[in-house]
Amino acid sequence: MYVEKETISNDLQELLTLPHHVKHFTKDTYLFREGDPIKYLYFLVKGKVQLSKVTSEGRELTLRICGRNQLLGEVYLYTDDSSYMLDAKVKDDVECFVFPLEELEKELQHNARLATAFMKWMCTNQQKTQTRFRDLILHGKKGALYSTLIRLSNSYGIQRADGILIDVQLTNQELANFCGMAREVANRLLGDLKKNEIVSSCDGKLLIRNLKFLQDEIQCEHCPATLCRID
């Protein structure tokens, strides 16, 4: 079940040779905030960054957690006055390469191979976001939690004899943020899953004992694991 953590593709390696500078961000600061003008693309050398959006009700919805060797940034090429739609909050101290967008645009104009690879990366990110919103909208609160657990298993799951261990520490509030719901609702739904032995706790982490139940409940389309992820 566990899929090796995403890294930058071979075709995108050339991107790392473009003009850039190295920046460090400390925990609980931001690479960018919703509404900021889009000027840079980021490549994470170390640390973790949470991409999230605050709803009109003031509730936080976490869409992704990006880590080492991943590109990060909402990039709209060759457009004027574009701005970020998400917050990029630092979860662990970050070191990253920062690429000015104008330099990237210049390179893509005459480097067809890199342009193709970059467009593929952009499309994959868009698909990840679209499938996340699809699950949240179509399946209600229960489906949002179930699909989040499935995605966590693809990103951080370790197969064991008794199930799939989600090898990352998450508070119930953080889990609720992934689902766009109140912590109390997430607690209740998670409690029902534990009562029915679909999920259990293991050293502060979640163990999925019956993944098929979660998949069947949301009529899982079995998307490629490269899309059905949290990272």
Side-chain angles (χ1 to χ4, degrees), residues 61-62 131-152 174-182 185-186 189-190 193 214 217-219 228 230:
L61 170 61
T62 301
T131 55
R132 284 281 286 129
F133 279 122
R134 176 201 65 194
D135 292 345
L136 294 172
I137 293 171
L138 295 183
H139 301 298
K141 290 181 171 59
K142 182 182 290 187
L145 175 62
Y146 292 5
S147 68
T148 296
L149 292 174
I150 293 169
R151 291 171 185 275
L152 285 168
E174 288 172 329
L175 185 60
N177 289 347
F178 275 117
C179 306
M181 65 179 68
V185 177
L189 293 174
L190 195 59
L193 289 176
L214 301 178
E217 284 292 299
I218 63 169
Q219 300 176 332
C228 186
I230 288 297

Side-chain angles (χ1 to χ4, degrees), residues 2-228:
Y2 178 71
V3 177
E4 188 66 26
K5 191 168 181 62
E6 175 187 347
T7 58
I8 190 170
S9 69
N10 289 334
D11 287 340
L12 279 174
Q13 290 286 342
E14 188 176 351
L15 178 69
L16 304 183
T17 67
L18 299 184
H20 65 272
H21 56 278
V22 178
K23 289 197 69 174
H24 296 82
F25 297 84
T26 57
K27 183 178 180 180
D28 293 331
T29 60
Y30 291 84
L31 271 66
F32 52 81
R33 301 297 303 269
E34 181 177 357
D36 289 347
I38 299 176
K39 295 182 178 180
Y40 304 104
L41 176 71
Y42 302 86
F43 175 75
L44 299 183
V45 177
K46 69 175 183 179
K48 288 186 174 64
V49 174
Q50 170 185 296
L51 293 178
S52 60
K53 186 175 183 67
V54 178
T55 68
S56 57
E57 296 86 14
R59 186 169 296 149
E60 185 178 56
L61 170 61
T62 301
L63 293 174
R64 293 178 60 197
I65 293 181
C66 301
R68 181 175 176 269
N69 290 338
Q70 287 186 287
L71 287 172
L72 172 64
E74 301 172 62
V75 177
Y76 303 98
L77 297 173
Y78 310 109
T79 60
D80 296 324
D81 302 323
S82 56
S83 58
Y84 292 108
M85 299 179 64
L86 302 173
D87 291 331
K89 185 176 182 179
V90 176
K91 301 297 290 181
D92 295 321
D93 290 355
V94 159
E95 178 184 340
C96 61
F97 296 166
V98 181
F99 300 90
L101 192 55
E102 58 184 20
E103 297 293 335
L104 174 62
E105 291 175 338
K106 290 177 184 177
E107 180 66 22
L108 295 181
Q109 285 179 338
H110 60 80
N111 189 331
R113 188 179 71 170
L114 183 59
T116 300
F118 192 77
M119 285 189 290
K120 182 178 179 180
W121 172 79
M122 291 177 64
C123 289
T124 299
N125 275 354
Q126 185 180 41
Q127 285 180 291
K128 285 182 180 180
T129 302
Q130 287 177 335
T131 55
R132 284 281 286 129
F133 279 122
R134 176 201 65 194
D135 292 345
L136 294 172
I137 293 171
L138 295 183
H139 301 298
K141 290 181 171 59
K142 182 182 290 187
L145 175 62
Y146 292 5
S147 68
T148 296
L149 292 174
I150 293 169
R151 291 171 185 275
L152 285 168
S153 74
N154 285 333
S155 293
Y156 302 107
I158 297 177
Q159 185 69 59
R160 306 191 337 176
D162 53 351
I164 302 170
L165 178 69
I166 298 177
D167 192 26
V168 62
Q169 295 277 359
L170 287 174
T171 66
N172 282 9
Q173 183 63 64
E174 288 172 329
L175 185 60
N177 289 347
F178 275 117
C179 306
M181 65 179 68
R183 178 174 55 83
E184 293 77 12
V185 177
N187 289 348
R188 175 173 56 79
L189 293 174
L190 195 59
D192 290 341
L193 289 176
K194 290 179 178 179
K195 180 179 178 180
N196 293 307
E197 298 184 345
I198 306 300
V199 171
S200 62
S201 296
C202 180
D203 297 327
K205 300 176 182 178
L206 290 175
L207 177 69
I208 300 179
R209 295 184 176 275
N210 190 341
L211 182 67
K212 187 176 185 303
F213 173 87
L214 301 178
Q215 293 171 330
D216 290 346
E217 284 292 299
I218 63 169
Q219 300 176 332
C220 180
E221 298 178 9
H222 299 284
C223 299
T226 52
L227 298 180
C228 186

